[in-house]
Amino acid sequence: MAYRFLDSVAIADVAFEATGEDLAELFVAAGDATINTMIDSVDGILAKTSRKIQLSNGELDLLLFDFLQELIYYKDADGLLLRVPRVEIEEQGGEFKLIATGFGEEIDPTRHEQRADVKAVTLHQFKLEQTSEGWRCFVILDI
Amino acid sequence: MTIPAKVKQLSETLWEIAPSYKAGMKVPARIVGTRNLLESMDDAVFDQLTNVATLPGIVGYAYCMPDGHSGYGFPIGGVAATDPARGGVISPGGIGFDINCGMRLIRTNLTLEEVAPRIKELIDTLFELVPSGVGSRGALKISKPQFLELVEQGSRWCVRHGYGWPEDLELTEEVGCIEGADAASISKKAIDRGFNQVGTLGSGNHYLEVQVVRPENVFDSSLAARFGLNVPNQVVVMFHCGSRGFGHQVATDYLRLFLSVMRKKYGIEMRDRELACAPLHSPEGTDYFAAMKCALNMAFANRQIILHHVRKAFSRVFSRSAEELGMHMIYDVSHNTAKLERHLIDDRALEVLVHRKGAPRAFARGMEDLPPRYKDLGQPVIIGGSMETGSYLLLGSSEGQETFFSTAHGSGRRMSRTKARKIWQGDKLLRELKHRGIYVRTASLRGLAEEAGGAYKDIDEVVEATTRAGLSKPVARFVPIGNVKG
């Protein structure tokens, strides 16, 4: 897994760091980290249904913010746990565009061992940066 | 942890960081608490609180309550008032994503002796009737148009539709419906996330507890009697939850909007993007205020529907009506809000916007907005402790002016969730609690471990600090016998 939860950063919430060799990989990892905050095993999510995600933003870090927020939206609006295996990100005239499909299923308390509901992605210390190995982000989720 | 040198002690329970500490601080930052409580606060509290002190239009002091800990934007336990007539801002980060997260307390005429033998059945019934956990929904089936009515009308909508008693309204902050909520200011996404979640607990630190008032835990029996707490070992119900996905989305929507206009349109720079804000008297500020009020009402309605199901559960288990069981509300208080209130600032009465994030209002006797029956007493304040230690009913104090009549909201975390999970195991904790006479049902065993009593500050010490600081005084302490943990 290209993400790890960080101890003692957000005392009542959850902080994670995700990495990727490229941006797409980082987005996938950060998406899984967000879902993993809510249930114990993301591998236990079956691809029974899908949701198309299309976003655009002038700022790359806020595109990540919006992407994670989409996963939280579908968790409440449709009761869905979604994993996104692939994302496409491209820049067009100063706008970053993202196209992806989330695959998953409805939350099933008998099969998905729950952790904590994620209320929102916070912008507190929110960071997306390019490193010598690729990309890294730091995210605090409100739970 | 040692208290940083920048934090100067002013009295036994009051500490201050001067505006010279950080560029842009407009007022001093003040922390209420004993030395021991301040030592348990993480350093980020002081950093976040001094960021709050830079908000445009802030007046008086940026305050942190004794149960404070670091959050995002404001610390949890943060209180700050801005003057809208002088460019004062409204900031979603000063309210929290869970708008109108709050506490509700209900009494019964049952005693521990009657409830203890049935506690398993009772908690199991509550667990069944009040959905909890990740994405919980389905307690109230309503259409989206009905939901729009509900967010404008709050608990009134519920009582009109048969979910509660007329007296419940009087015993809810804002009479269960804040004026000025406008559904035109909320997004489709917010509606999608919230319309099927009314009457649900959620997760994290949200819970529903059956508690007992032992005679030794009544601090003032005549005061307690005014709240109907007058039987030894009387059983009460307390729960903690907010505006669910609806409020979370409202806060997210406006955080994004404020971020896009803050600098460009209003020339405001903040150190933390989570403190994104806009003048209250601006199109964006006005819209957020109206949308936030919808979330306030949604949370009041949420707790009202939960109360309806709590009454139903007790009625089912004890084969008596809720009326016969004396299941009257004591009060419902919010601890994540921003409200326009009149306060004395430098000896002048001013209308200010008071942000309270993880801090309830604690109005003194005689103040406006108190329920008529409590007018001569002061406002009841409900403080939730950890699942293991106990909770309190307090009363607002007339000495609370400086903190805009605000006090602590709980025991406050002292340990991160990941650290707690390394120390405690959910299934083991469940058994230990049962052995100690606390029957727990939870949607998440991992979440249970994160909420272990040891992860929190000492609730007694927090309450004692608010008393010594003159913010509130205790009426009674409650200990849990059963808990539905979200």
Side-chain angles (χ1 to χ4, degrees), chain A residues 48-64:
Chain A
K48 292 182 179 172
T49 184
S50 66
R51 292 289 182 278
K52 192 128 189 177
I53 299 171
Q54 279 184 299
L55 301 163
S56 71
N57 202 302
E59 316 229 6
L60 195 52
D61 61 344
L62 293 179
L63 185 73
L64 174 64

Side-chain angles (χ1 to χ4, degrees), chain A residues 8-138:
Chain A
S8 309
V9 178
I11 200 160
D13 299 306
V14 165
F16 71 82
E17 182 189 78
T19 52
E21 281 185 18
D22 55 28
L23 262 182
E25 216 177 276
L26 175 130
F27 272 62
V28 168
D32 270 358
T34 303
I35 299 295
N36 197 186
T37 304
M38 294 190 267
I39 60 155
D40 242 4
S41 166
V42 288
D43 292 330
I45 299 171
L46 304 176
K48 292 182 179 172
T49 184
S50 66
R51 292 289 182 278
K52 192 128 189 177
I53 299 171
Q54 279 184 299
L55 301 163
S56 71
N57 202 302
E59 316 229 6
L60 195 52
D61 61 344
L62 293 179
L63 185 73
L64 174 64
F65 176 92
D66 289 345
F67 171 70
L68 300 179
Q69 202 61 53
E70 282 293 289
L71 301 179
I72 297 167
Y73 166 78
Y74 284 118
K75 175 263 302 174
D76 283 328
D78 296 338
L80 288 178
L81 296 168
L82 293 179
R83 294 190 78 185
V84 182
R86 240 186 343 269
V87 301
E88 284 173 39
I89 300 165
E90 57 181 59
E91 194 183 348
Q92 279 175 9
E95 279 282 302
F96 296 95
K97 294 192 185 305
L98 176 146
I99 297 176
T101 306
F103 297 91
E105 61 176 325
E106 279 195 34
I107 302 160
D108 176 356
T110 64
R111 284 187 31 248
H112 303 123
E113 179 67 36
Q114 294 190 22
R115 292 177 67 181
D117 210 348
V118 175
K119 294 174 183 168
V121 184
T122 82
L123 283 172
H124 182 59
Q125 297 176 15
F126 186 84
K127 198 194 261 179
L128 171 65
E129 61 186 0
Q130 199 156 17
T131 63
S132 52
E133 290 99 47
W135 289 84
R136 181 169 60 206
C137 70
F138 175 84

Side-chain angles (χ1 to χ4, degrees), chain B residues 300-328:
Chain B
F300 287 136
N302 189 32
R303 294 196 285 272
Q304 185 63 37
I305 298 297
I306 291 177
L307 169 59
H308 173 75
H309 287 121
V310 167
R311 284 176 174 149
K312 207 162 147 182
F314 270 76
S315 190
R316 193 189 286 178
V317 171
F318 294 98
S319 306
R320 268 172 279 169
S321 69
E323 288 83 355
E324 286 170 310
L325 292 168
M327 296 187 72
H328 298 279

Side-chain angles (χ1 to χ4, degrees), chain A residues 7 40 70 73 114 123-124, chain B residues 189 192 274 422 444 446:
Chain A
D7 277 356
D40 242 4
E70 282 293 289
Y73 166 78
Q114 294 190 22
L123 283 172
H124 182 59
Chain B
K189 276 196 166 168
D192 289 348
E274 193 63 38
K422 282 176 189 162
S444 163
R446 277 182 82 130

